[in-house]
Amino acid sequence: MPHVERGMTVGLFGGSFNPPHRGHELVAEIALRRLGLDQLWWMVTPGNPLKNHSDLAGLDERIELSRRMAPGPRVKVTAFEAAHDLHYTAQTLAFVKARNPGIHFVWIMGADNLRQFHKWQDWRAIAETFPIAVIDRPGSTLAYLSSKMAKAFSHARVDENHAALLPFLRAPAWTFIHGPRSSLSSSAIRSERATNKTATS
């Protein structure tokens, strides 16, 4: 894991990043600015258990592409989950929390993930480990009203005007942050590449 000092505020932004794109970069930029983070860990995962891995690029390739995409020195690209055989977010957050006392962590995710968050393993434990910042994504703006997670933890929602307080709050606590959105998606990029490859072969 990246080096941190006690008292720091750190965002945890995980994904397969297959491939990373401007939408991911935008989420990282918004999180850094609105939450006032000292660091953001761009965590390249071995692979999402909810997704098909047949078109998953190699971990080294996804790490290198993420490093090129990462917006600035406060973003630390890491793949420690693979080194420690961690496959689920709940496991990862428990691992991070146990090894980093005195650090104020926030879990960062795009609003497109909020809609299916209740399908994640131990999703309630995730919400109760660290505060969560949900960053708006195209087509997902109303997920903060309709998702099972939003309803289950409606009492813990923080107004986005107070987003900078989120790292210092005790979980469960979450906010939905509106802002610039990118329509790019990794699946669309992979589909376009496959189509182009077929057309040229």
Side-chain angles (χ1 to χ4, degrees), residues 17-24 51 112 137-138 182-193:
F17 301 109
N18 185 42
H21 54 71
R22 173 57 183 161
H24 296 132
K51 295 182 180 179
D112 47 335
R137 290 277 289 148
S182 169
S183 61
L184 291 173
S185 75
S186 295
S187 57
I189 292 172
R190 293 195 304 273
S191 178
E192 182 179 357
R193 287 178 178 175

Side-chain angles (χ1 to χ4, degrees), residues 30-197:
I30 292 171
L32 283 165
R33 184 176 69 254
R34 296 290 298 276
L35 300 172
L37 301 174
D38 295 309
Q39 289 185 11
L40 182 140
W41 294 2
W42 182 302
M43 305 187 306
V44 185
T45 67
N48 187 331
L50 296 178
K51 295 182 180 179
N52 185 343
H53 290 185
S54 61
D55 59 355
L56 183 66
L59 183 61
D60 288 347
E61 177 183 344
R62 290 182 285 126
I63 291 171
E64 179 57 31
L65 291 173
S66 293
R67 284 177 175 157
R68 295 179 194 172
M69 182 69 65
R74 286 187 292 164
V75 177
K76 312 295 182 181
V77 176
T78 177
F80 68 85
E81 289 171 291
H84 295 279
D85 198 30
L86 300 169
H87 296 280
Y88 295 96
T89 299
Q91 293 176 327
T92 298
L93 299 193
F95 182 87
V96 168
K97 186 174 184 177
R99 286 158 178 77
N100 295 277
I103 306 300
H104 305 289
F105 287 104
V106 179
W107 175 251
I108 311 294
M109 67 178 180
D112 47 335
N113 284 318
L114 185 60
R115 289 179 296 184
Q116 61 173 359
F117 187 70
H118 63 280
K119 297 181 181 179
W120 295 18
Q121 186 179 73
D122 297 329
W123 65 276
R124 290 180 181 272
I126 296 171
E128 292 170 351
T129 302
F130 293 136
I132 299 174
V134 182
I135 312 297
D136 200 3
R137 290 277 289 148
S140 302
T141 301
L142 297 180
Y144 75 100
L145 294 175
S146 60
S147 73
K148 189 170 182 178
M149 180 274 189
K151 292 177 179 177
F153 290 95
S154 60
H155 63 284
R157 186 180 168 207
V158 176
D159 189 284
E160 70 172 295
N161 291 328
H162 304 298
L165 297 176
L166 199 63
F168 305 101
L169 299 179
R170 184 172 182 175
W174 67 282
T175 193
F176 191 99
I177 299 177
H178 297 81
R181 297 174 296 175
S182 169
S183 61
L184 291 173
S185 75
S186 295
S187 57
I189 292 172
R190 293 195 304 273
S191 178
E192 182 179 357
R193 287 178 178 175
T195 299
N196 293 340
K197 185 176 181 180

